[in-house]
Amino acid sequence: MIVILKRNPDPSQLERFRGWLEERHVSIHPTIGMNQTIWGLVGDTSHLDINLIAALDVVDDVKRVQEPYKDANRKFHPEDTVLQIGGTQVGGGNLTLIAGPCSVESEEQICEIAKAVKKSGATMLRGGAFKPRTSPYSFQGLRSEGIRMLSAAKELTGLPIVTEIMDASHLEYFDSVDVIQVGARNMQNFELLKVLGETRKPILLKRGLSATYEELLMSAEYIMAGGNENVILCERGIRTFETFTRNTMDVSAVPVLKQLSHLPVLVDPSHAAGKYQLVTPLAKAALAAGADGLLIEVHNDPEHALSDGPQSLRPEAFDRLAGQLQRLHEAVRAQ
Ligand code: PEP
Ligand code: MN
């Protein structure tokens, strides 16, 4: 339930209302806006008489909130969340470009790609170290050694680094990691989400292969309920009947998630498409739809990549795309 308070409410009446709610074990999460104050009521509000609350002098309006997520909900937090990560900001009109290989393969490889994508305007570097592969016989990633190499690339370029966690017991390796990615397959690994909620690291939460918007937001809620409000949502394509593309990029996810939540929304056209030829048009579509940025796989030798070569852009192609995206972003913002 949310209560919109009248402007300049009578302080003693407001205190009485607060006490009344507390007696009913309902806690108040206030959001103080420029014009109005909103109280998010958390707890079992089902027993509260909405008409009684609406009749109070200090109350302008009251609504039952249907959505089961509160911390991620834009209704309680009308302003966009903006995260400061190293020298870059995510959300709130900033263009985030996360680029890098699917997997970290060697220090030389990740450093070379890091230098190239930085020159092209990437704001963060990605690279998988713990890899969720469909087959146990596929390359599983360099694990903690991969994170060490990624950190070396960060030292070299200054780019903040993004890498995926698959198990809470690996958290000890993630000290130097700026953004912890939760992959599509782990979006509903609730125990992992709870552990990440206890950290204060930014979490890039990817949408599960068949997750609804509400399920994605409930997973964000798991992290935020633990006190970690630094969550970034990421649409990465969903399962549909279409097999031509690896997944189907759900462009609707961008405006819907931005409407429902204040969290930044990124799009990963690489895993959506599965084919490098489609990455450029899909990236542009995502940005035109209002995404806060993109996550794009870039490899210096896609033919020999240990994972996801077919969907990886070469650095030259990323360079062209990054320039186009920057111009497109300006145009979208000017609307
Ligand atoms: C990845 O980003 O490398 C990855 C495995 O993505 P997803 O979880 O979206 O499949
Ligand atoms: Mn990949």
Side-chain angles (χ1 to χ4, degrees):
M1 192 179 282
I2 59 170
V3 176
I4 301 162
L5 298 179
K6 287 234 169 82
R7 283 179 113 168
N8 307 317
D10 178 83
S12 61
Q13 286 189 30
L14 198 59
E15 274 321 294
R16 272 211 300 284
F17 182 30
R18 183 193 294 279
W20 184 83
L21 289 168
E22 281 167 3
E23 279 169 24
R24 282 154 185 79
H25 308 291
V26 171
S27 59
I28 301 164
H29 289 221
T31 302
I32 298 160
M34 293 257 277
N35 298 316
Q36 251 168 332
T37 293
I38 296 172
W39 280 3
L41 305 188
V42 182
D44 183 8
T45 55
S46 57
H47 58 290
L48 299 182
D49 182 347
I50 193 165
N51 296 320
L52 196 96
I53 294 174
L56 295 175
D57 283 341
V58 291
V59 172
D60 195 15
D61 202 359
V62 54
K63 292 184 170 58
R64 282 216 181 272
V65 179
Q66 304 298 313
E67 299 89 357
Y69 48 90
K70 293 204 165 26
D71 291 341
N73 198 325
R74 195 181 274 282
K75 283 182 184 156
F76 303 138
H77 192 302
E79 307 298 326
D80 281 352
T81 281
V82 183
L83 304 183
Q84 183 74 42
I85 302 170
T88 186
Q89 289 189 324
V90 181
N94 298 285
L95 174 60
T96 295
L97 289 181
I98 304 176
C102 180
S103 299
V104 179
E105 298 171 10
S106 68
E107 188 163 329
E108 205 184 356
Q109 173 242 21
I110 191 68
C111 287
E112 189 179 324
I113 297 171
K115 281 190 281 185
V117 298
K118 163 137 191 191
K119 212 157 140 229
S120 302
T123 56
M124 288 194 249
L125 175 69
R126 65 151 284 145
F130 292 91
K131 293 301 303 174
R133 305 305 302 280
T134 302
S135 167
Y137 308 117
S138 301
F139 176 60
Q140 299 289 305
L142 298 179
R143 301 171 71 85
S144 58
E145 191 53 14
I147 295 185
R148 189 196 59 71
M149 293 171 184
L150 207 47
S151 309
K154 169 179 165 175
E155 291 253 312
L156 188 70
T157 59
L159 287 176
I161 53 178
V162 183
T163 196
E164 178 167 352
I165 191 162
M166 296 216 296
D167 194 281
S169 67
H170 300 155
L171 197 55
E172 59 179 302
Y173 304 123
F174 283 70
D175 283 350
S176 64
V177 172
D178 298 281
V179 178
I180 302 180
Q181 177 173 317
V182 174
R185 291 157 192 82
N186 268 314
M187 188 204 86
Q188 288 190 317
N189 182 341
F190 300 119
E191 290 301 318
L192 176 62
L193 300 179
K194 281 191 234 172
V195 171
L196 295 175
E198 285 163 20
T199 75
R200 293 298 175 264
K201 290 259 190 200
I203 308 297
L204 177 69
L205 179 64
K206 289 187 134 192
R207 182 182 181 187
L209 275 69
S210 60
T212 64
Y213 302 140
E214 188 166 294
E215 286 165 342
L216 172 60
L217 291 167
M218 288 308 287
S219 290
E221 193 75 10
Y222 259 94
I223 300 165
M224 299 175 87
N228 185 359
E229 301 197 329
N230 306 312
V231 180
I232 304 165
L233 305 171
C234 183
E235 158 64 31
R236 47 76 74 205
I238 50 171
R239 275 269 162 92
T240 68
F241 50 80
E242 184 53 70
T243 54
F244 186 85
T245 47
R246 184 174 179 183
N247 293 284
T248 297
M249 188 177 94
D250 176 16
V251 76
S252 307
V254 177
V256 174
L257 293 170
K258 299 237 19 130
Q259 181 190 320
L260 297 176
S261 178
H262 51 88
L263 297 172
V265 178
L266 303 186
V267 173
D268 168 356
S270 306
H271 289 89
K275 296 180 174 172
Y276 79 91
Q277 298 93 331
L278 299 176
V279 170
T280 289
L282 291 183
K284 290 178 184 170
L287 215 54
D292 293 293
L294 296 147
L295 185 153
I296 295 175
E297 286 190 338
V298 178
H299 200 288
N300 52 352
D301 184 10
E303 286 84 3
H304 296 103
L306 296 181
S307 60
D308 288 350
Q311 68 195 34
S312 299
L313 293 185
R314 292 175 191 282
E316 310 78 69
F318 176 71
D319 189 61
R320 273 193 302 280
L321 174 59
Q324 293 170 356
L325 292 175
Q326 273 144 3
R327 289 192 292 279
L328 180 59
H329 183 243
E330 298 288 313
V332 172
R333 280 192 69 184
Q335 292 276 308

